């Protein structure tokens, strides 16, 4: 442990960007390894994007193909928008991890394998007919065989640890080796180990020892021709941290509670991949926000709406199956015209689908999935860091327009991380809140409160909370009289109320900023995307514009409902519209219907984000059809 | 202080920060069952004035906004206008069928509320869906007619974020025990500080007469022309099984008893569950006539009262505990006296289970009414409030800028 400063004998080469993939058993700690490598990379000032990819089973049987857990990381000196199309370095902790992930490695890429996990039993579990390390099937790759298990055991021979505990440390060997290969700092990982195992000195020291062994292994073996250096990225000035989408959502909600003065009540039920939001928010009680782990998804949203009735801001978050259960309450929020934020961290469906895999297939459900005419604003976050602003915006709109708002994130954003320039709280948009009181509330000639008399501009009704004298009123799911809020079965009133509720939501377009068109302002192809595909589309559009004369623009929609008023105008400036989505074609249908255009769909429904190259191919194809 | 006085939103006396909810204090149990010397009066009258159980009540905080019952003469001492029954009525036409038992509950609530609160703007009624769930429209307070079975969820969110409000849940047998059974049980175990009135009419009224989860087996209805097959719930037993901290039963045709139960429910801190036997004269007329009508009521009902022996039928019969079995005994043949009868202890859960379960669907035994069980344990909303305060005290008021900058950061200039 004292030799960390020993001189490096291996030459160092500089690269503009690199993609690394750690893969192993779900019990091998690959997510931790990837997370620590990302952390070191952020501190090395690179831009980065990550893709954690793990099975739904918590501990799948060891060595199996379906038990493989992986963490992909793309970092560079230039702006990084995707977790990387092709992997430069694969660290495979066993045969199954190699089998599952080999296809992602570029030809000529480096593969580090744990030589000790290629016995006959490992090969059988991974369905290998012959040993890939011996049968020549890895020709064309730079394969480095490391006896990870053996070296770890040797390193810990003097420790009083079971074989099981010893073997659990081998991911630290892999981490140390990868840090060495890419000349990342090792100290952040050490600090993390010291903190994590503060109460167990033996485990702490074992992990530190193995981490060091891995770091120095490269110099000792001469198996590596070179180390690599990725220079710092030129990011905008500011203070940065790395952030995952789910954590950014939590911070956005805290910011909303601070700026509005409204107490957030977060009612939720555990569900993959949204639970981390509860884990984060439940720690922030000093901001006055309350978290409530309800008995089910319905109680989660019901309690949130109850809190909104009480003058708080009710928020609930879930994934697709949970939204399905919450739909009746979202309709009640529409009818009672109370603020409510519903966050959907989408995952592959239908039904239970693939809980740990990402997808964007809840768009239609978010916009239309309720009984009756129940319009609701729908917005989406585009990067992990952008989840912060999206959450803040969702809360602000819910209160300003007295409406439920659906905010779409997804598993890729929720678990993925990136360097994030920390926003200045003072620079956030204002978040004014007004509660009606007996002085200013609309009343009839007898002085009775009229809870459905609207603000002329926003069409929002007044928010009168219990405890306010003279404004006692009853809300409910039955159709409301246009003024009194009393129960009404009047046919004309129902039509007027239905139109009013729709106009209120449509009116949100008034405050949307002009659309930003990235790339070319007019030309052959306009790529329209939403949500987590932002990075892949941006990378693809940049690439096409660099390599060809094609004029390609990119619009990424924050608001899916209502659609921005100037979208039609932008569309007219391009020959063709391409809509890449991680679903079977949902936004594309909305655009075709709304603008009567033959928009081209690029659907991907594999539980994985787009590769930039997939979108590049589609842009080229759309361009050739446009002429 | 009166038993009816309920300090809302005040943390339980003596509950340390972050402490595990304590069990019922030892003092909850009476020192020993007092033997009743005199025979009990007529059943309808005896439960009106509940015995005081001072050991269970936390001390009244100086800021308590609850006025005493006018009868106690301190209603005006606060210098605030005293509300009347009329203040709680809305101009909305009450749309229940004429003769429906729901009217009696509405009248009882409107009658007792002026005694229980001086600020009607702090009172909120939350209901689900069903005939009874129209209730909030007829109360001139804040209210929400929510979703079928989901009133407990709305009420839990409301009370947990605004513990100072006085929240009531109005529900029915279909609403609470069929579509909303899950939420009902979870509300009770959490012990959110609110009152739940369950209108049990053993039928679906609003959907025009299907059997409900409390209908007796074999019930012939529109949806069960050959008789229903479902075994019914006993709502009070279900509530007790879900660890409700207050369980009571009353009936639409005994307004005095109902008012007494409402007062006691309101005085309880935690979820106070009151089951009301309510006649649906359109689809299930007479379902409870055995218990509510003059001719059969004395013989078919027993009104439990803390510290009193279980006697009924004008004092001629009693309930005796024989091993773990309850038996009816004659008190007028000289062989047995009230000394042989089971003495009610509303702090004893075992007794509560025995009586609720054995005196049910058994025509040979009377049906019990009154407060079956009461337990003083911390309310969810108070504990949540306390946790928020404790964390804030420990960590200091949240600082957004510091939170955003937490963890490893780096500066690019
Ligand atoms: S249907 Fe029955 S319960 Fe409903 S209002 Fe009429 S009488 Fe009352």
């Amino acid at each position: 442990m004292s030799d960390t400063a020993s001189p490096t004998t291996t030459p160092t080469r500089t690269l503009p960007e690199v993609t690394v993939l750690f893969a192993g058993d779900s019990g091998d700690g690959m997510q931790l390894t990837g997370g620590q490598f990302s952390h070191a990379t952020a501190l090395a000032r690179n831009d980065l994007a990550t893709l954690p990819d793990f099975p739904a089973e918590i501990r799948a049987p060891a060595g199996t193909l379906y038990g493989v857990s992986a963490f992909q990381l793309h970092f560079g000196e230039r702006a990084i928008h995707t977790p990387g199309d092709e992997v430069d370095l694969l660290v495979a902790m066993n045969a199954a991890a190699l089998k599952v992930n080999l296809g992602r490695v570029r030809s000529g890429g480096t593969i580090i394998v744990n030589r000790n996990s290629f016995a006959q039993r490992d090969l059988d579990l991974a369905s290998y007919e012959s040993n890939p390390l011996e049968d020549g099937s890895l020709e064309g790759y730079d394969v480095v065989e490391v006896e990870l298990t053996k070296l770890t055991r040797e390193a810990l021979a003097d420790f009083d640890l079971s074989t099981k505990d010893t073997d659990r440390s081998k991911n630290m060997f892999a981490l140390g080796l990868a840090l060495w290969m890419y000349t990342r700092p090792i100290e952040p990982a050490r600090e993390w180990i010291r903190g994590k195992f503060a109460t167990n000195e033996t485990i702490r020291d074992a992990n530190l020892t193995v981490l060091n062994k891995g770091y120095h292994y490269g110099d000792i073996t001469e198996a590596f021709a070179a180390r690599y250096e990725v220079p710092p990225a030129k990011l905008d000035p500011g203070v940065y941290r790395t952030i995952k989408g789910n954590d950014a959502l939590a911070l956005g909600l805290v910011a909303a509670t601070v700026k509005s003065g409204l107490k957030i009540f977060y009612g939720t039920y555990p569900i993959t991949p949204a639970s981390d939001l509860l884990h984060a928010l439940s720690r922030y009680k000093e901001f006055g926000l309350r978290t409530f782990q309800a008995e089910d998804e319905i109680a989660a949203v019901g309690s949130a709406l109850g809190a909104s009735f009480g003058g708080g801001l009710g928020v609930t978050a879930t994934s697709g199956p949970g939204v399905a259960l919450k739909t009746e309450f979202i309709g009640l929020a529409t009818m009672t015209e109370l603020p409510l934020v519903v966050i959907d961290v989408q995952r592959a469906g239908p039904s239970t689908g693939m809980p740990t895999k990402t997808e964007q297939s809840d768009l239609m459900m978010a916009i239309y999935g309720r009984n009756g005419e129940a319009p609701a604003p729908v917005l989406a976050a585009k990067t992990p860091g952008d989840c912060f602003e999206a959450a803040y915006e969702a809360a602000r709109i819910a209160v300003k327009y007295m409406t439920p708002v659906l905010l779409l994130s997804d598993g890729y954003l929720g678990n993925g991380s990136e360097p994030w320039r920390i926003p200045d709280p003072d620079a956030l948009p204002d978040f004014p809140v007004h509660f009606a009181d007996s002085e200013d509330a609309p009343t009839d000639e007898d002085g009775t409160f009229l809870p459905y008399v609207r603000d002329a501009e926003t069409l929002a009704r007044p928010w009168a909370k219990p405890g306010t004298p003279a404004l006692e009123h009853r809300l409910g799911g039955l159709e409301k009289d246009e003024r009194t809020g009393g129960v009404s079965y009047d046919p004309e009133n129902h039509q007027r109320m239905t139109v009013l509720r729709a106009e209120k939501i449509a009116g949100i377009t008034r405050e949307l900023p002009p659309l930003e068109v990235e790339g070319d302002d007019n030309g052959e192809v306009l790529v329209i995307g939403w949500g987590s595909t932002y990075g892949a589309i941006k990378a693809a559009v940049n690439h096409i514009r660099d390599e060809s004369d094609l004029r390609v623009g990119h619009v990424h929609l924050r608001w899916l409902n209502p659609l921005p008023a100037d979208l039609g105008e932008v569309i007219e400036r391009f020959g063709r519209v391409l809509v890449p989505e991680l679903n079977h074609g949902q936004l594309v249908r909305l655009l075709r219907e709304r603008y009567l255009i033959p928009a081209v769909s690029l659907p991907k429904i594999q539980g994985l984000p787009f590769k930039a190259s997939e979108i590049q191919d589609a842009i080229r194809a759309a361009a050739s059809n446009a002429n | 202080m009166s038993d009816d006085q309920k300090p809302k939103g005040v943390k339980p006396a003596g509950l340390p920060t972050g402490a595990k909810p304590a069990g019922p204090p030892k003092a909850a149990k009476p020192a020993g069952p007092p033997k009743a010397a005199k025979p009990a009066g007529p059943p309808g009258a005896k439960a009106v004035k509940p015995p005081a159980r001072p050991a269970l009540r936390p001390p009244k905080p100086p800021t308590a906004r609850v006025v005493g019952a006018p009868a106690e003469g301190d209603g005006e001492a606060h210098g605030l206008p005293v509300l009347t029954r009329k203040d709680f009525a809305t101009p909305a036409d009450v749309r229940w069928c004429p003769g429906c038992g729901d009217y009696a509950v509405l009248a009882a609530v409107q009658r007792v509320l002026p005694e229980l609160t001086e600020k009607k703007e702090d009172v909120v009624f939350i209901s689900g869906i069903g005939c009874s769930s129209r209730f909030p429209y007829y109360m001139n307070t804040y209210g929400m007619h929510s979703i079928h079975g989901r009133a407990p969820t709305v009420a839990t969110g409301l009370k947990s974020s605004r513990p100072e409000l006085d929240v009531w849940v109005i529900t029915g047998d279909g609403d609470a025990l069929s579509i909303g059974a899950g939420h009902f049980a979870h509300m009770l175990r959490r012990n959110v500080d609110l009152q739940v009135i369950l209108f049990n009419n053993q039928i679906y009224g609003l959907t025009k007469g299907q059997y409900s989860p409390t209908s007796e087996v074999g019930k012939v209805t529109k949806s069960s022309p050959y008789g229903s097959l479902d075994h019914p719930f006993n709502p009070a037993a279900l509530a007790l099984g879900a660890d409700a901290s207050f369980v009571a039963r009353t009936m639409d045709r005994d307004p005095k008893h109902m008012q007494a139960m409402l007062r006691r429910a309101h005085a309880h801190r935690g979820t106070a569950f009151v089951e009301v036997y309510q006649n649906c004269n359109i689809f299930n007329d007479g379902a409870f006539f055995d218990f509510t009508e003059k001719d059969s009521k004395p013989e078919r009902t027993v009104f439990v009262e803390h510290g009193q022996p279980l006697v009924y039928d004008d004092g001629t019969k009693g309930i005796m505990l024989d091993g773990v079995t309850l038996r009816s005994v004659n008190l007028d043949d000289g062989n047995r006296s009230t000394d042989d009868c089971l003495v009610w202890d509303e702090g004893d859960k075992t007794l509560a289970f025995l009586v609720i379960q054995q005196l049910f669907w058994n025509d040979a035994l009377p049906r019990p009414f009154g407060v079956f069980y009461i337990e003083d344990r911390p309310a969810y909303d108070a504990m949540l409030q306390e946790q928020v305060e404790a964390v804030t005290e420990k960590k200091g008021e949240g600082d957004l800028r510091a939170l955003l900058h937490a963890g490893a950061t780096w500066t690019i200039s």
Side-chain angles (χ1 to χ4, degrees):
Chain A
M1 284 180 64
S2 58
D3 54 354
T4 51
S6 68
T8 294
T9 55
T10 317
T12 302
R13 284 191 208 137
T14 301
L15 295 174
E17 59 182 295
V18 169
T19 299
V20 175
L21 174 60
F22 297 94
D25 252 335
S26 45
D28 277 343
M30 291 297 96
Q31 302 304 320
L32 286 178
T33 309
Q36 284 308 306
F37 191 86
S38 306
H39 185 48
T41 296
L43 294 179
R45 307 286 192 272
N46 294 125
D47 197 8
L48 66 94
T50 70
L51 174 63
D53 183 15
F54 43 87
E57 294 78 14
I58 302 304
R59 288 278 186 275
T64 56
L65 293 169
Y66 60 87
V68 172
S69 172
F71 189 102
Q72 187 169 321
L73 168 74
H74 182 197
F75 57 100
E77 64 170 318
R78 46 194 178 212
I80 297 296
H81 304 299
T82 72
D85 283 12
E86 292 190 312
V87 170
D88 299 299
L89 168 68
L90 166 65
V91 178
M93 302 294 282
N94 66 12
L98 176 66
K99 175 117 181 196
V100 169
N101 292 294
L102 184 61
R104 297 205 213 172
V105 184
R106 70 168 165 80
S107 61
T110 304
I111 301 172
I112 297 176
V113 295
N114 177 9
R115 184 75 184 88
N116 303 125
S117 287
F118 283 76
Q120 192 54 48
R121 197 183 117 75
D122 304 309
L123 298 174
D124 290 346
L125 280 168
S127 307
Y128 271 121
E129 311 242 308
S130 62
N131 189 340
L133 303 181
E134 288 158 8
D135 64 8
S137 62
L138 298 181
E139 248 169 58
Y141 299 101
D142 179 11
V143 180
V144 182
E145 298 180 22
V146 182
E147 297 197 278
L148 263 171
T149 312
K150 183 162 161 259
L151 289 165
T152 301
R153 287 182 187 173
E154 281 172 12
L156 298 181
D158 294 342
F159 281 76
D160 185 19
L161 283 176
S162 65
T163 311
K164 192 171 152 228
D165 280 340
T166 300
D167 287 353
R168 282 171 66 120
S169 307
K170 65 180 184 290
N171 62 328
M172 288 300 111
F173 196 103
L175 175 62
L177 183 53
L179 291 173
W180 174 85
M181 263 190 86
Y182 291 98
T183 54
R184 316 273 88 180
I186 189 173
E187 192 47 38
R190 284 199 185 138
E191 208 172 291
W192 172 78
I193 290 172
R194 283 187 214 113
K196 178 155 173 89
F197 302 110
T199 54
N200 189 334
E201 285 182 21
T202 313
I203 299 278
R204 181 194 67 193
D205 292 345
N207 277 291
L208 287 171
T209 302
V210 177
L211 180 73
N212 277 329
K213 282 285 173 210
Y215 195 80
H216 294 297
Y217 178 78
D219 275 338
I220 297 161
T221 59
E222 297 179 358
F224 298 90
R227 298 174 75 186
Y228 303 97
E229 199 172 54
V230 180
K234 288 156 214 69
L235 298 172
D236 292 337
V239 182
Y240 283 76
R241 63 183 281 189
T242 49
I243 196 142
K244 294 204 282 185
N246 279 339
D247 291 334
L249 284 176
L251 294 180
L253 293 172
V254 175
T257 215
V258 169
K259 296 285 281 191
S260 67
L262 290 172
K263 295 298 177 219
I264 283 190
F265 183 92
Y266 182 72
T268 193
Y269 186 74
I271 185 170
T272 302
S275 305
D276 279 347
L277 195 44
L278 171 62
H279 305 160
L281 284 173
S282 58
R283 295 200 311 263
Y284 302 152
K285 294 218 161 63
E286 70 274 23
F287 288 89
L289 61 80
R290 286 145 206 263
T291 55
F292 175 63
Q293 184 175 317
E295 61 268 25
D296 59 31
E297 295 282 1
I298 297 172
V301 65
S303 61
L305 189 66
S308 287
F309 180 46
L313 177 55
V315 179
T316 187
T318 182
S319 191
V323 177
L325 285 164
K326 292 179 199 294
T327 53
E328 194 179 6
F329 257 116
I330 300 171
L332 181 63
T334 295
M335 194 60 123
T336 55
E337 305 196 35
L338 285 169
L340 176 71
V341 175
V342 179
I343 299 173
D344 179 358
V345 187
Q346 301 165 92
R347 66 191 215 189
S351 188
T352 309
M354 301 193 289
T356 55
K357 308 296 175 188
T358 199
E359 206 161 275
Q360 296 182 300
S361 44
D362 295 344
L363 177 61
M364 288 296 192
M365 173 166 71
I367 295 179
Y368 295 120
R370 290 167 291 283
N371 65 304
E373 298 281 349
V378 179
L379 75 168
K382 61 183 182 182
T383 67
D386 182 54
C387 286
F388 175 85
E389 273 170 51
Y392 188 85
E393 188 70 352
R396 196 182 63 80
I397 293 292
V399 170
K400 180 168 179 181
Y401 292 88
M402 295 291 282
T403 177
V405 171
L406 288 104
L407 165 55
L408 299 175
S409 174
D410 61 30
Y412 167 58
L413 292 181
N415 290 316
S417 57
E418 65 173 354
W420 180 53
R421 187 159 59 136
I422 301 172
D424 176 3
D426 296 336
L428 289 169
D430 283 344
F431 194 151
V433 180
H434 179 72
F435 288 106
D437 58 33
S438 50
E439 302 285 296
D440 65 8
T443 57
D444 66 10
E445 46 292 346
D446 301 331
T448 305
F449 178 42
L450 297 171
Y452 276 74
V453 168
R454 292 159 196 281
D455 178 87
E457 196 206 323
T458 62
L459 299 182
R461 69 172 195 85
W463 194 4
K465 58 181 173 182
T468 313
L471 302 190
E472 291 88 356
H473 64 286
R474 274 65 56 195
L475 297 174
L478 289 167
E479 181 58 289
K480 299 279 163 282
D481 176 85
E482 194 182 3
R483 287 167 56 77
T484 66
V487 176
S488 172
Y489 284 87
D490 178 69
E492 300 294 329
N493 179 74
H494 179 50
Q495 178 137 359
R496 279 197 303 273
M497 288 298 277
T498 302
V499 171
L500 271 170
R501 287 186 288 259
E503 284 178 349
K504 179 172 83 166
I505 304 309
I508 295 171
T509 52
R510 279 191 310 267
E511 65 175 81
L512 303 187
L515 274 176
E516 197 188 326
V517 185
E518 299 187 44
D520 292 302
D521 200 41
N522 59 70
E524 281 99 346
V525 181
L526 175 66
V527 186
I528 303 181
W530 66 280
S532 68
T533 54
Y534 175 74
I537 294 175
K538 187 177 172 80
V541 169
N542 286 348
H543 184 91
I544 292 277
R545 292 177 71 239
D546 285 350
E547 67 150 32
S548 73
D549 295 336
L550 277 181
R551 293 178 56 76
V552 184
H554 172 201
V555 160
H556 216 74
L557 297 175
R558 156 77 80 215
W559 286 95
L560 285 318
N561 192 43
L563 287 168
D566 51 350
L567 181 57
E569 235 168 81
V570 174
I571 288 173
E572 280 175 15
R573 304 206 293 260
F574 289 85
R576 203 83 165 151
V577 168
L578 172 70
V579 187
E581 294 174 90
L582 298 175
N583 58 44
H584 202 208
Q586 298 194 13
L587 175 63
V588 72
R589 296 180 60 183
L590 298 174
L591 297 176
R592 285 172 185 159
E593 183 240 19
R594 172 77 177 267
Y595 301 102
L596 303 176
I597 50 166
V600 179
S601 177
L602 173 60
K604 179 171 181 178
I605 320 118
Q606 301 172 6
L608 290 167
F610 276 111
K611 292 177 178 175
S613 57
E614 293 164 338
I615 297 172
Q616 288 154 24
D617 293 345
I619 293 173
R620 287 187 204 101
S624 59
N625 287 338
N627 299 323
Chain B
M1 68 178 278
S2 154
D3 219 358
D4 294 340
Q5 289 171 329
K6 180 181 196 182
K8 289 270 176 183
V10 176
K11 74 173 185 179
L15 177 71
T17 299
K20 278 196 293 190
K26 287 284 176 286
K29 290 212 170 180
K35 300 283 182 238
K38 63 177 168 68
K46 66 183 183 184
V48 172
K49 198 160 184 292
R53 305 176 65 241
L56 277 179
R57 304 266 68 82
K60 180 179 173 180
T63 52
R65 54 162 188 73
V66 181
V67 295
E72 294 174 27
D74 66 350
E76 323 225 18
H78 298 71
L80 285 156
V82 172
L83 297 168
T84 68
R85 181 181 174 179
K86 279 209 186 75
D87 291 310
F88 289 95
T90 62
D93 292 335
V94 183
R95 301 228 191 138
W96 290 311
C97 306
C100 174
D102 291 358
Y103 286 95
V105 190
L106 180 63
V109 171
Q110 288 178 341
R111 194 172 286 280
V112 299
L113 263 182
E115 300 169 22
L116 306 178
T117 183
E118 61 194 19
K119 288 167 79 181
K120 76 179 164 121
E121 64 270 19
D122 281 354
V123 179
V124 188
F125 283 85
I126 307 285
S127 65
I129 296 293
C131 288
S132 56
S133 285
R134 298 294 177 98
F135 194 97
Y137 290 123
Y138 311 137
M139 292 298 303
N140 192 13
T141 64
Y142 285 91
M144 192 194 287
H145 177 217
S146 75
I147 294 179
H148 202 18
R150 317 298 176 208
T153 73
V154 175
T156 297
L158 177 64
K159 181 73 185 177
S160 300
S161 51
R162 298 281 310 277
E164 74 279 16
L165 296 176
D166 185 5
V167 179
W168 299 69
V169 168
I170 304 294
T171 184
D173 42 318
D175 193 59
L177 303 178
S178 212
I179 196 165
H183 305 307
F184 175 72
H186 288 281
M187 168 180 59
L188 295 172
R189 82 173 162 89
R190 282 195 190 100
N191 201 32
V192 184
D193 184 16
L194 42 78
Q195 297 73 239
V196 189
I197 308 179
L198 189 154
F199 294 50
N200 181 6
N201 56 16
Q202 296 187 173
I203 199 79
Y204 282 109
L206 199 62
T207 50
K208 301 204 165 90
Q210 301 82 7
Y211 65 95
S212 91
T214 55
S215 298
E216 66 278 16
V217 175
K219 189 159 195 72
V220 174
T221 70
K222 275 191 196 132
S223 61
S224 53
Y226 305 110
S228 65
L229 306 174
D230 296 36
H231 183 80
F233 271 135
N234 175 350
L238 188 71
L240 203 59
D243 275 351
S245 64
F246 179 102
V247 182
R249 181 187 288 148
T250 186
M251 58 176 74
D252 54 1
R253 305 223 178 181
D254 192 339
K256 282 219 161 90
H257 185 257
M258 182 159 30
Q259 288 170 31
M261 292 301 102
L262 294 175
R263 286 190 194 97
R264 293 220 48 206
H266 192 266
H268 177 67
R269 192 187 14 241
T271 308
F273 170 68
V274 181
E275 177 188 11
V276 181
Y277 279 2
Q278 172 247 320
N279 192 38
C280 168
N281 54 309
I282 302 298
F283 295 110
N284 202 14
D285 196 23
F288 303 110
F289 279 1
D290 264 12
F291 316 120
T292 60
E293 301 313 286
K294 229 176 36 229
D295 293 348
S296 51
K297 183 177 178 184
E299 196 188 344
R300 295 288 292 115
T301 61
V302 56
F303 284 76
V304 304
E305 195 178 338
H306 184 65
Q308 300 295 319
L310 296 193
V311 294
Y312 66 108
D313 210 355
D314 296 328
T316 62
K317 289 188 181 128
I319 298 291
M320 209 185 88
L321 189 57
D322 179 1
V324 291
T325 306
L326 297 173
R327 296 195 192 291
S328 172
V329 290
N330 283 325
L331 301 179
D332 55 2
D333 57 9
N335 295 327
R336 306 270 193 193
S337 77
T338 52
D339 288 354
D340 299 310
C341 295
L342 175 63
V343 174
W344 194 242
D345 176 357
E346 61 193 16
D348 188 330
K349 199 169 199 169
T350 309
L351 276 190
F353 266 119
L354 276 182
V355 162
I356 290 173
Q357 286 175 326
Q358 292 188 23
L359 306 189
F360 197 67
W361 301 118
N362 182 345
D363 287 349
L365 292 169
R367 189 72 62 97
F369 294 83
V371 176
F372 298 130
Y373 183 63
I374 180 164
E375 172 190 328
D376 201 24
R377 81 180 145 93
Y380 180 86
D381 45 287
M383 289 193 291
L384 179 60
Q385 174 71 19
E386 200 178 310
Q387 192 174 60
V388 167
E389 284 167 10
V391 171
T392 308
E393 191 170 316
K394 191 164 159 236
K395 294 167 79 173
E397 285 279 320
D399 176 345
L400 178 59
R401 198 175 293 273
L403 179 68
L404 294 177
H405 286 258
T409 62
W410 65 95
T411 304
I412 293 190
S413 44

